[in-house]
Amino acid sequence: MIDGGVEHTGTPTAYNGGHSHEQSFRFTHADFLAIAAIVRNETGISLKPTRSSFVYSRLSRRLRTLGLESFAAYCELLIQDGQSAERRALVSALTTNVTAFFRERHHFAYLRQRLIHTLAPRVHAGGRVRLWSTACSSGEEAYSMALTVLSVLPDATRYDIRILATDIDVEMLETARLGLYTRASVREHCRDTASLHWETGTDDRLQVPEAARSLVEFLPLNLIGAWPPLGTFDIIFCRNVAIYFDFPTQTALWRRLCDHLPERGLLSIGHSERIPSENIPGLHLCGITTYQWHPS
Ligand SMILES: C[S@@+](CC[C@H](N)C(=O)[O-])C[C@H]1O[C@@H](n2cnc3c(N)ncnc32)[C@H](O)[C@@H]1O
């Protein structure tokens, strides 16, 4: 851990011409603070000083790739105009992308219930349904929503049902669009979707069934930045992302998401996230980490 200007002495090993050698980069507390400020500004993610080893290990690869000798040089590069590509690489390096199909399964049970009782009858009557996975990472969350839709409405692609899947990390979005996952992850989490055909793709990975892929659109979106016109969503999943934001940023995000919920719309958040009800009147806990919007 870095404190009071003490330098990091991390010694990641680089491979070079068949000989491994030790390589380390000068990393001061001031460098950590500069990077934390850039990350906060770009993403809303609040990096505590206890995360300095994490920052060092995630970014030393970038320094090596760029041929830089110190974090100070990297910080200088980041603040130059025209370095938006490097700032995107910084975001990709420092975001935590852990996810899984049907993670926190109870949310998919609520989605299924809402589909059976409200949303399927609505689309059968010619109405529309919109769902949003707000921090979709490599796509498993959005595809799990799509697979849940198909479990209730096998012919969902004939109706006006769409799932918007967004993330700040454009590298993750590219992975998500491919829809290719290891057999182990599909076998472990998608047992109930056996009736759908998962095609074998490259590297012996399995590709999400075409019907599920066609329900989802992946787009870049920064939850703390400007949003395009989005309309409302019957159900929003905003899970395991606000945990990285400070409290005022979280509260502003919850308020903003409520602007995109219709009356009785649902907002599901991550297992370690909470929305203090006094902060958002109208948002009521109605299930495990799931809130219903009743503004009136
Ligand atoms: C731990 S993953 C959560 C994935 C999924 N929602 C789940 O619960 O399994 C967190 C995701 O939030 C994204 N993220 C972080 N800051 C963001 C921001 N400001 N706007 C949009 N996405 C962000 C990261 O890129 C990462 O993919």
Side-chain angles (χ1 to χ4, degrees), residues 43 96-99 103 135 141 167-168 221-223 239-240:
T43 69
T96 302
N97 302 115
V98 175
T99 188
R103 182 183 194 187
E141 179 177 281
D167 200 282
I168 195 173
L221 182 138
N222 184 347
L223 287 170
R239 310 185 315 157
N240 306 304

Side-chain angles (χ1 to χ4, degrees), residues 3 24 39 89 94 116 122 146 149 174 217 220-221 239-240 251:
D3 209 2
S24 62
V39 168
L94 292 182
I116 291 169
R122 188 199 299 164
V149 168
E174 275 171 32
E217 183 180 19
L221 182 138
R239 310 185 315 157
N240 306 304
T251 306

Side-chain angles (χ1 to χ4, degrees), residues 161-236:
I161 305 183
R162 298 284 176 273
I163 299 164
L164 174 66
T166 59
D167 200 282
I168 195 173
D169 187 339
V170 288
E171 286 181 19
M172 279 296 122
L173 290 170
E174 275 171 32
T175 303
R177 283 190 193 102
L178 292 175
L180 287 166
Y181 301 95
T182 63
R183 281 175 191 274
S185 66
V186 174
R187 205 178 302 124
E188 184 180 349
H189 302 290
C190 302
R191 289 179 301 272
D192 307 341
T193 65
S195 62
L196 291 164
H197 181 59
W198 293 69
E199 270 187 39
T200 303
T202 47
D203 304 336
D204 202 35
R205 287 177 297 171
L206 294 177
Q207 188 162 42
V208 172
E210 162 63 22
R213 276 186 290 135
S214 68
L215 292 175
V216 184
E217 183 180 19
F218 291 99
L219 291 176
L221 182 138
N222 184 347
L223 287 170
I224 65 145
W227 298 355
L230 292 169
T232 58
F233 298 88
D234 299 288
I235 302 184
I236 298 176

Side-chain angles (χ1 to χ4, degrees), residues 39-40 42-45 91-92 94-101 103-104 133-142 166-170 172 220-225 227 237-245 249 253 269-271 273:
V39 168
R40 204 202 129 79
E42 294 281 319
T43 69
I45 294 172
V91 169
S92 288
L94 292 182
T95 44
T96 302
N97 302 115
V98 175
T99 188
F101 284 107
R103 182 183 194 187
E104 298 176 48
S133 162
T134 64
C136 65
S137 188
S138 41
E140 288 90 329
E141 179 177 281
T166 59
D167 200 282
I168 195 173
D169 187 339
V170 288
M172 279 296 122
L221 182 138
N222 184 347
L223 287 170
I224 65 145
W227 298 355
F237 279 23
C238 186
R239 310 185 315 157
N240 306 304
V241 58
I243 187 78
Y244 301 107
F245 302 160
T249 309
L253 174 60
I269 66 175
H271 58 282
E273 295 157 342

